[in-house]
């Protein structure tokens, strides 16, 4: 590339960066319920959507704990944000390692007295394009569902009481829709059961996942009526959506001042390592709905699914 072209590319990138910073200020100050002592935790914050959510939340003046399973990579990511003047700290957190979750919980309690916002972003996917393998199904379900669930369950007792309510934001996907037109579970009776808030339980979610994993082991999953594309990933995100609904109901009875709202959102098809950088949404746009949900004024609704700042059907 010639020097002129390089400079113009640099200028363009800088402009884009400035635009994206401007776009992260839709919350006028009078609606601002948070301070620099409001603590947000982001899992898998070292890259992709998680890094961008960290950057945008810190850009709004919160203290953000960027967590990453790899300490060296996480510290590097934090440095970039600290050099931009943002209040960002690092702590190691591998969401599939119970000891790592315990260590993190002890640290956040001792250092910050707990947390106000939890963004569950960490996740894995091994399907690329039209290829649909369940070779890594166990890892996908263990990370995207059980890992996230264990982090949530450990963090809930540490969430700080406040009049605005603490917030949990789960990054999900439209691929995990229960009643989507495409890619849904074909078993009408199971879908009916999972749709019914009165029947939905942790046990039912576990049973569904166990059945799927058993079928991946004896190779009967292809005729099991599971989602047809990105099968294991779709089921892991379906489970996150189900748990979001279940948890919202479970938390609904908490007394005033100790409310916790939990919602999930789909960021769209995003240009990150997960999609091989071929998505059609930038990380800035992908992060937007998550940051919006985390910072909504008042006591937000709970147990809902969002995309592009709008509620969508599960
Ligand atoms: P990404 O660039 O691959 O980032 C995934 C992040 O999760 C990385 O930081 C990764 O850490 C971390 N992670 C994976 N396993 C972990 C574990 N056991 N403990 C802690 N961190 C772990 O992908 P992304 O696109 O930003 O994805 C972020 C979230 O958005 C995921 O939940 C994904 O399912 C969801 N999502 C993405 C899209 C999309 O189109 N990209 C669409 C819908 C939903 P390492 O760097 O150490 O691997």
């Amino acid at each position: 590339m010639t020097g002129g072209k390089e400079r113009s590319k640099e200028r363009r990138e800088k402009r884009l960066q400035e635009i994206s910073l401007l776009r992260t200020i839709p919350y006028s100050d009078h609606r601002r319920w948070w301070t620099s002592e409001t603590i947000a935790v982001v899992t898998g914050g070292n890259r992709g959507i998680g890094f961008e959510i960290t950057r945008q939340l810190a850009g709004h003046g919160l203290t953000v704990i960027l967590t990453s399973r790899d300490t060296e990579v996480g510290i590097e990511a934090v440095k970039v944000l600290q050099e931009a003047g943002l209040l960002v700290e690092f702590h190691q957190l591998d969401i599939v390692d119970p000891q790592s979750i315990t260590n993190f919980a002890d640290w956040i309690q001792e250092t910050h007295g707990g947390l106000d916002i939890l963004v569950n972003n960490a996740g894995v996917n091994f399907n690329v394009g039209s290829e649909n393998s369940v070779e890594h199904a166990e890892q996908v379900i263990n990370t995207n569902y059980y890992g996230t669930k264990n982090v949530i369950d450990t963090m809930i007792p540490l969430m700080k009481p406040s009049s605005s309510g603490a917030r949990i934001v789960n990054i999900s996907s439209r691929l995990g829709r229960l009643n989507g037109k495409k890619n849904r579970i074909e078993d009408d009776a199971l879908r009916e059961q999972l749709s019914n808030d009165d029947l939905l339980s942790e046990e039912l979610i576990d049973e569904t996942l166990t059945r799927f994993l058993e079928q991946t082991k004896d190779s009967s999953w292809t005729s099991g009526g599971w989602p047809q594309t990105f099968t294991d990933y779709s089921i892991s995100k379906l489970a996150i959506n189900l748990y979001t609904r279940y948890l919202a109901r479970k938390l609904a009875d908490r007394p005033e001042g100790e409310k916790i709202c939990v919602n999930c959102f789909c960021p769209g098809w995003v240009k990150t390592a997960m999609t091989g950088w071929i998505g059609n949404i930038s990380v800035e746009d992908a992060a937007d709905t998550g940051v919006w949900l985390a910072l909504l004024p008042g006591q937000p609704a709970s147990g809902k699914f969002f995309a592009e700042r709008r509620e969508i059907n599960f």
Side-chain angles (χ1 to χ4, degrees):
M1 204 186 285
T2 64
K5 270 193 183 158
E6 227 159 32
R7 273 194 300 279
S8 122
K9 186 171 173 248
E10 266 170 27
R11 273 200 301 275
R12 190 172 163 275
E13 272 170 2
K14 191 155 180 287
R15 262 205 316 278
L16 283 173
Q17 225 176 3
E18 283 162 359
I19 290 166
S20 101
L21 281 173
L22 282 176
R23 292 184 57 198
T24 63
I25 316 174
Y27 312 91
S28 55
D29 271 345
H30 69 276
R31 304 176 83 198
R32 184 181 164 123
W33 56 267
W34 63 91
T35 70
S36 59
E37 281 167 29
T38 303
I39 306 296
V41 170
V42 181
T43 66
N46 54 291
R47 70 175 196 209
I49 302 169
F51 179 80
E52 180 59 20
I53 288 179
T54 305
R55 187 186 75 82
Q56 290 189 20
L57 284 174
H60 285 295
L62 293 87
T63 294
V64 189
I65 316 303
L66 182 156
T67 69
S68 161
R69 57 180 162 179
D70 184 317
T71 298
E72 214 173 303
V73 170
I75 289 174
E76 276 309 304
V78 163
K79 264 193 209 154
V80 172
L81 298 172
Q82 286 175 339
E83 277 163 17
L86 300 173
L87 288 172
V88 181
E89 296 176 24
F90 171 74
H91 200 278
Q92 196 273 349
L93 177 58
D94 182 336
I95 68 164
V96 294
D97 177 356
Q99 189 57 53
S100 170
I101 299 178
T102 303
N103 293 347
F104 177 69
D106 291 346
W107 176 83
I108 195 106
Q109 187 63 19
E110 275 163 30
T111 318
H112 293 287
L115 71 162
D116 301 280
I117 296 169
L118 172 65
V119 180
N120 291 298
N121 163 80
V124 290
N125 165 48
F126 296 91
N127 293 304
V128 184
S130 56
E131 172 214 325
N132 189 37
S133 145
V134 293
E135 196 188 333
H136 302 281
E138 201 149 4
Q139 191 184 343
V140 172
I141 302 287
N142 280 343
T143 307
N144 297 1
Y145 178 62
Y146 288 109
T148 300
K149 178 178 180 294
N150 288 345
V151 171
I152 293 174
D153 293 349
T154 310
M155 291 301 128
I156 282 178
L158 310 182
M159 298 199 90
K160 298 184 189 188
S162 86
S163 56
S164 310
R167 287 110 197 269
I168 300 173
V169 179
N170 296 327
I171 309 205
S172 185
S173 166
R174 287 181 179 91
L175 284 169
R177 272 179 145 172
L178 183 56
N179 289 309
K181 284 198 186 98
K182 291 184 294 187
N183 215 41
R184 64 183 190 185
I185 291 178
E186 282 165 21
D187 180 342
D188 291 338
L190 177 58
R191 263 206 338 275
E192 186 102 342
Q193 253 187 320
L194 294 171
S195 300
N196 185 334
D197 278 341
D198 294 329
L199 299 179
L200 187 59
S201 64
E202 285 184 62
E203 292 72 29
L204 180 59
I205 302 173
D206 284 347
E207 277 165 27
T208 308
L209 295 176
T210 303
R211 185 149 22 121
F212 169 64
L213 288 174
E214 276 168 8
Q215 291 185 9
T216 63
K217 285 184 191 128
D218 66 18
S219 300
S220 61
W221 68 276
T222 43
S223 53
W226 303 105
Q228 294 301 296
T229 52
F230 291 83
T231 302
D232 50 9
Y233 179 80
S234 300
I235 290 171
S236 74
K237 293 300 187 182
L238 168 70
I240 279 295
N241 288 358
L242 295 171
Y243 195 59
T244 302
R245 277 175 43 218
Y246 167 77
L247 192 60
R249 270 174 70 100
K250 193 171 140 188
L251 296 173
D253 292 339
R254 286 171 73 97
E256 210 49 54
E258 291 177 30
K259 296 281 185 201
I260 301 176
C261 75
V262 50
N263 291 296
C264 54
F265 79 100
C266 173
W269 189 38
V270 191
K271 289 183 213 287
T272 64
M274 188 173 278
T275 58
W277 312 99
I278 56 161
N280 58 1
I281 307 268
S282 66
V283 281
E284 289 86 351
D285 285 341
D288 177 74
T289 298
V291 173
W292 173 76
L293 278 172
L295 298 184
L296 278 172
Q299 271 181 25
S302 191
K304 308 283 184 198
F305 190 19
F306 292 86
E308 289 124 33
R309 295 195 185 194
R310 286 198 191 90
E311 191 184 336
I312 60 172
N313 293 329
F314 275 104

